[in-house]
Each structure stands twice: as structure tokens, then as C-alpha cells.
Amino acid sequence: AQSVSQHNHHVILSEAASLELGCNYSYGGTVNLFWYVQYPGQHLQLLLKYFSGDPLVKGIKGFEAEFIKSKFSFNLRKPSVQWSDTAEYFCAVLHSGYALNFGKGTSLLVTP
Amino acid sequence: DTEVTQTPKHLVMGMTNKKSLKCEQHMGHRAMYWYKQKAKKPPELMFVYSYEKLSINESVPSRFSPECPNSSLLNLHLHALQPEDSALYLCASSEGGQPNEKLFFGSGTQLSVL
């Protein structure tokens, strides 16, 4: 099954710092990749997704991700984080048609 | 209405109890999902229903029994659970039938098994 791995488990940043969270996928063929965010006490929300086309994908709340096929990567970026970005971030890949396999998640803490 | 509603929000049950988790959506979605999420862990897929038929069972123990009575409802029946089954159970839905679809997640039911 297709899988993703996230190497940064905990990230602490100051407000206005730039963010990059790593995500690598395992499958060399066609992949459909997602980033989800889970704010404290809230449900999972889709930040952005990549299916095909432009490898630079823009999502909600100023987030973007770049699909780099040669590196099997789909890293999430934001130029300037805010305290409200404190959350758990999950990279995910589609498998079995339309079910998601999630990575282990990265816990982001943004300090004032 | 773009919500997936799960009830109850919290549930405490003993190992001999029988309980059910409920999930409802009125977006006309035809695919519905159950995920299990332990604290600080990613969601793990349990079941997928597509057009009210079970299409994926990720080798979930039989003490978890899903049911899709109609296209808007998804239940998860629980019986003889173990303490290690304590987790957040998330329901999700998508339009159905096509890959690459956005999943809409509910807020989950926090289950504690004593």
C-alpha cells in the first residue's frame, strides 16, 4: 500500500518564522497527496491536495506544498507562521481508490 | 450543510457493554469512513462504505461492527471492547465513487473503555 512518512515529529517556531514540514511518499507511480491539519480540540481539515498538474499547490491559510517527484517529497510550507497555526499536521496519500493513509503527524507549536 | 455530525461526543463503557457510535451527513455523499485515532497518532482507517456497501475492512476485530442503514447514516456497533480500544473515533464522508475526493471529517467520539 502507498504510504507517507513525516520525519519532523515536533516543531517549535516563533511567530513570523518560516515553516517547512517534510513528507515523503513511498510509491513511484501516480500519487494523490494531501495535507490535513488538526487544531486542538477540532476535527481534521484539508489544507491542500495534489493530484496532477502544477507541482506547487496553494492551500488555505497561506499554506503551500511542492510535489517533487525526483525526491518523492511533498513538503508543506508557510512563509510566516502565526500563533494560530499551532496544530497537528498530517500528510496523507490516497490508497485503495479513495481511502487515505496518514503519516504519523507533526506537532507544531508556535510561540508568541 | 457541510458538516459531518457524530454522536455521542464522549462515551465511557465497560468491557461487557454494547454501545453504538453514530455518524450523519446531509451533503449527499455516497462514501463514508470510520477512522480510529489514538492520542498524538495519525488516524487509522477502519472501514469504508461506498454506496451503502462495505468496500474496505482494514482487518478490524469483529468486536467493531459497522452498519450503513442509508446513504446519510453510518453506525459503529461496539461489543466486548478492550481498554486498548480507547481512542477518538472519527467519521468522514466524501462524494463517493471517485478517487481524489476531499474527505469531510466529523469531530469524533472520544471513547474510553474501562
Side-chain angles (χ1 to χ4, degrees):
Chain A
Q2 299 181 24
S3 65
V4 289
S5 59
Q6 295 177 245
H7 304 296
N8 315 106
H9 298 300
H10 299 279
V11 173
I12 302 175
L13 294 173
S14 300
E15 277 193 315
S18 64
L19 170 72
E20 181 160 3
L21 302 182
C23 173
N24 289 97
Y25 61 92
S26 63
Y27 182 61
T30 300
V31 285
N32 300 299
L33 295 159
F34 305 76
W35 275 99
Y36 277 82
V37 61
Q38 191 169 28
Y39 297 103
Q42 295 189 28
H43 57 272
L44 283 156
Q45 299 174 43
L46 180 68
L47 276 178
L48 48 81
K49 59 186 178 182
Y50 171 78
F51 301 146
S52 63
D54 189 344
L56 185 62
V57 180
K58 293 200 183 295
I60 60 170
K61 306 188 184 205
F63 286 92
E64 65 178 31
E66 187 173 12
F67 173 70
I68 304 180
K69 193 172 182 178
S70 60
K71 295 185 179 179
F72 291 78
S73 70
F74 188 57
N75 292 353
L76 182 71
R77 301 195 294 244
K78 185 171 184 178
S80 175
V81 294
Q82 301 170 320
W83 175 80
S84 56
D85 293 322
T86 293
E88 193 83 14
Y89 291 82
F90 294 99
C91 182
V93 65
L94 200 66
H95 90 108
S96 302
Y98 39 84
L100 293 175
N101 266 343
F102 288 87
K104 291 188 185 300
T106 297
S107 180
L108 172 65
L109 173 64
V110 179
T111 60
Chain B
D1 183 0
T2 58
E3 281 196 358
V4 175
T5 305
Q6 289 187 245
T7 55
K9 292 199 182 306
H10 301 274
L11 179 62
V12 179
M13 60 186 290
M15 290 190 284
T16 58
N17 291 158
K18 282 187 183 181
K19 297 286 184 185
S20 296
L21 309 186
K22 297 187 183 303
C23 175
E24 192 168 357
Q25 55 85 17
H26 297 287
M27 295 179 277
H29 289 175
R30 304 311 299 269
M32 296 185 77
Y33 310 74
W34 280 115
Y35 280 85
K36 173 183 177 180
Q37 186 178 23
K38 294 278 224 181
K40 300 295 185 184
K41 299 288 187 185
E44 297 174 5
L45 182 65
M46 299 174 73
F47 303 104
V48 180
Y49 272 82
S50 177
Y51 290 83
E52 296 153 55
K53 288 186 170 42
L54 183 64
S55 60
I56 295 177
N57 177 343
E58 291 284 311
S59 303
V60 180
S62 60
R63 57 186 185 270
F64 295 91
S65 174
E67 179 198 15
C68 190
N70 61 55
S71 60
S72 300
L73 295 174
L74 184 66
N75 298 325
L76 186 63
H77 303 299
L78 315 172
H79 175 53
L81 294 194
Q82 304 295 313
E84 59 264 28
D85 295 322
S86 298
L88 181 69
Y89 288 83
L90 294 165
C91 175
S93 70
S94 66
E95 287 187 21
Q98 300 293 328
N100 313 337
E101 292 173 350
K102 176 181 176 178
L103 265 66
F104 291 78
F105 282 88
S107 299
T109 294
Q110 187 66 54
L111 174 67
S112 297
V113 181
L114 305 179

